[in-house]
Amino acid sequence: SRTALASASILTVGSIAWYTHVYGSLPFVGEVHANSPAEDGLHPTAYPWSHNGWLDTFDHASIRRGYQVYREVCAACHSLDRIAWRNLVGVSHTADEVRAMAEEVEYQDGPNDAGEMFTRPGKLSDYLPAPYPNDEAARASNSGALPPDLSLIVKARHGGRDYIFSLLTGYVDPPAGVEIPDGMNYNPFFPGGAISMARVLFDGVVEYEDGTPATTSQMAKDVVTFLHWAAEPEHDERKKIGLKAVILFSALTAISLYVKRMKWAGIKTRKICACKSNVHIASPDFLFASIHSSGRQTPLA
């Protein structure tokens, strides 16, 4: 029956969706990976981020704290090239606060009327300063390792924010039998296990302005929220527009269905008669009864 077929289909699709959500892939579907299993890091846990839901937005207080963690800890090595000072206005800081922070930084500008370069205080239109002038200087200061730009790091790593949070909080001593080269650190979530970046988040390394306890997990959560916003600053607006679009198109769909039924009701309910004018087609039983009643034996063609 149709009910049994629909039930079986729903059960099959639901089972596949549940299995892929829990285990990541189906056992009978082959996958192609750039890394070998030995090079893959430990799979991060899926954390319940406050902005995960379809209608949930960023915690802007967490974004403000995350920017403080980035400025005081991460900005020493990592750049944020795609974020300008003006992007912080109305998200984590007021215009006056951002303007004051920008003016603390000296930017090179020019040339002036004399053809010379000069320095000036930062403006809202300037982008956040990079810690190194070029990649070579960054490698020289980090034993040959290049600290990645963090503008799109949440989208550039498999596992996204869960991976970054797990990486920041996952530094442990290497297990027995695992050799870590000099100058490297062991982190099971990093592919290969050996990472150049040392642990940077410790309890109390940052003093939050709002009095929130600066534990390692709290700082990691805040800076990951900030980096997610940096990678997707249109996140909140996109969800608002999506909700408006769903309401609008749902109303238009209902109106379209109603108009369609009204327009086609006359055509779909009409009856077509194939009879000629003044000529009625009688049934065979009626003709047979008429012949016998008249006493004539007229064969029917």
Side-chain angles (χ1 to χ4, degrees):
S1 64
R2 293 183 178 180
T3 303
L5 181 61
S7 301
S9 302
I10 294 174
L11 179 62
T12 302
V13 173
S15 301
I16 294 175
W18 171 83
Y19 190 94
T20 54
H21 175 72
V22 174
Y23 298 102
S25 62
L26 297 176
F28 50 84
V29 178
E31 294 186 353
V32 178
H33 295 280
N35 296 339
S36 65
E39 295 173 331
D40 289 335
L42 187 65
H43 190 75
T45 303
Y47 294 98
W49 298 93
S50 60
H51 52 274
N52 263 353
W54 289 4
L55 304 179
D56 295 329
T57 58
F58 280 125
D59 181 358
H60 290 259
S62 181
I63 294 178
R64 183 185 178 98
R65 294 192 300 266
Y67 170 74
Q68 183 179 353
V69 175
Y70 166 77
R71 183 183 61 186
E72 298 183 13
V73 179
C74 308
C77 298
H78 296 276
S79 59
L80 208 62
D81 293 338
R82 295 177 180 269
I83 299 299
W85 292 108
R86 64 175 179 269
N87 298 132
L88 299 175
V89 177
V91 176
S92 57
H93 299 76
T94 64
D96 293 336
E97 290 175 333
V98 178
R99 189 176 293 107
M101 291 188 297
E103 291 176 352
E104 295 176 357
V105 183
E106 295 289 335
Y107 286 86
Q108 188 178 30
D109 203 347
N112 56 14
D113 296 339
E116 298 177 352
M117 304 299 290
F118 62 93
T119 58
R120 58 165 178 80
K123 302 181 295 185
L124 292 179
S125 58
D126 294 322
Y127 285 83
L128 270 64
Y132 304 105
N134 48 60
D135 291 349
E136 287 70 19
R139 292 182 183 277
S141 300
N142 292 276
S143 303
L146 178 63
D149 178 74
L150 299 183
S151 300
L152 300 174
I153 196 68
V154 170
K155 293 181 175 293
R157 295 295 183 267
H158 180 71
R161 56 208 168 178
D162 295 328
Y163 164 75
I164 299 175
F165 179 87
S166 300
L167 183 72
L168 292 175
T169 59
Y171 285 90
V172 294
D173 295 330
V178 176
E179 296 291 337
I180 301 298
D182 294 337
M184 305 290 282
N185 304 274
Y186 179 74
N187 193 312
F189 295 96
F190 188 77
I195 183 173
S196 299
M197 184 180 74
R199 180 182 175 181
V200 294
L201 296 182
F202 300 90
D203 292 348
V205 70
V206 172
E207 185 177 353
Y208 282 136
E209 301 171 351
D210 58 1
T212 301
T215 61
T216 300
S217 59
Q218 180 67 49
M219 290 185 292
K221 177 255 185 186
D222 291 335
V223 74
V224 170
T225 302
F226 169 73
L227 293 178
H228 189 186
W229 166 82
E232 197 175 2
E234 75 284 353
H235 176 274
D236 292 357
E237 190 65 25
R238 174 174 55 81
K239 288 187 176 181
K240 292 179 182 178
I241 295 176
L243 179 60
K244 294 178 182 178
V246 169
I247 296 174
L248 176 62
F249 284 111
S250 298
L252 292 177
T253 301
I255 294 174
S256 300
L257 293 175
Y258 175 77
V259 172
K260 183 257 183 184
R261 287 180 61 87
M262 293 298 296
K263 290 291 185 181
W264 286 85
I267 298 177
K268 296 180 70 173
T269 58
R270 66 182 181 178
K271 297 181 179 180
I272 301 176
C273 180
C275 303
K276 293 182 180 180
S277 174
N278 299 326
V279 177
H280 298 282
I281 301 177
S283 62
D285 295 337
F286 175 78
L287 294 176
F288 184 77
S290 300
I291 293 172
H292 280 278
S293 60
S294 61
R296 291 179 297 176
Q297 300 294 329
T298 303
L300 297 176

